[in-house]
Amino acid sequence: MWRQWIGLPHCFRADPRDGIGADCLLMVWAVLDQSAASHPALNPTWLDMAEAGDHDELIAAYKSLTMPLAAPEEHAVTLFSTERTIGIGIVVDDGLLHVHHNRGVQWLPIARCKTLEFRKFA
C-alpha cells in the first residue's frame, strides 16, 4: 500500500490513498489503521494544530500518547520538528516513511535514521 505513495507531494490534509498528495499525519494513520499496532483514533484537532503552527501543544499531545523505545521497531513513530515545521514518520519494512515538505513522501533505510527518537503508542 505505502510504496505507491513514494513521491507524492506534501499537501496539508491530503490523504495519500487518494493519490494526489500526502499529509504526514494522515499517511501515518493510514499505515497504522492497516496494521495491528495499537494506536488512538486520529484526532482532527491535531491537523488544526499543525496547520496553525501550535507545535508545542502538538508535541505535548504526541508525548502524552506515546512511550519511548530503546530502538526502532515496526510501526514505531517519530516526530520531526523545527521552528517552522512539524511532521511525523513511521517505521515500515525496516525503513522510515515520512513526508518531506519539499520532496514529498520518502522512505529511508532505518540505518540512516539513528539520531531520531522512536516511540510507540501506549
Side-chain angles (χ1 to χ4, degrees):
M1 161 184 73
W2 62 266
R3 285 179 179 85
Q4 67 194 31
W5 303 338
I6 301 295
L8 285 178
H10 171 258
C11 184
F12 274 118
R13 300 182 187 270
D15 188 327
R17 293 172 287 198
D18 295 339
I20 297 167
D23 181 289
C24 61
L25 196 58
L26 294 175
M27 181 185 71
V28 166
W29 253 257
V31 171
L32 288 170
D33 287 346
Q34 292 295 313
S35 77
S38 175
H39 64 286
L42 178 66
N43 183 339
T45 304
W46 300 334
L47 292 165
D48 298 335
M49 287 189 278
E51 210 165 22
D54 296 335
H55 297 173
D56 290 340
E57 191 175 348
L58 195 52
I59 291 168
Y62 169 79
K63 287 187 175 181
S64 74
L65 292 167
T66 59
M67 52 193 256
L69 295 168
E73 61 184 48
E74 191 74 0
H75 301 118
V77 292
T78 188
L79 198 65
F80 304 93
S81 160
T82 68
E83 280 186 32
R84 295 182 13 227
T85 63
I86 194 165
I88 190 169
I90 188 165
V91 176
V92 288
D93 294 342
D94 297 318
L96 179 67
L97 184 66
H98 69 103
V99 182
H100 186 276
H101 63 279
N102 289 328
R103 293 185 290 250
V105 177
Q106 298 185 319
W107 181 91
L108 300 170
I110 207 67
R112 293 183 52 197
C113 306
K114 292 184 190 271
T115 61
L116 298 174
E117 177 191 41
F118 291 93
R119 300 174 75 92
K120 69 177 181 178
F121 289 98

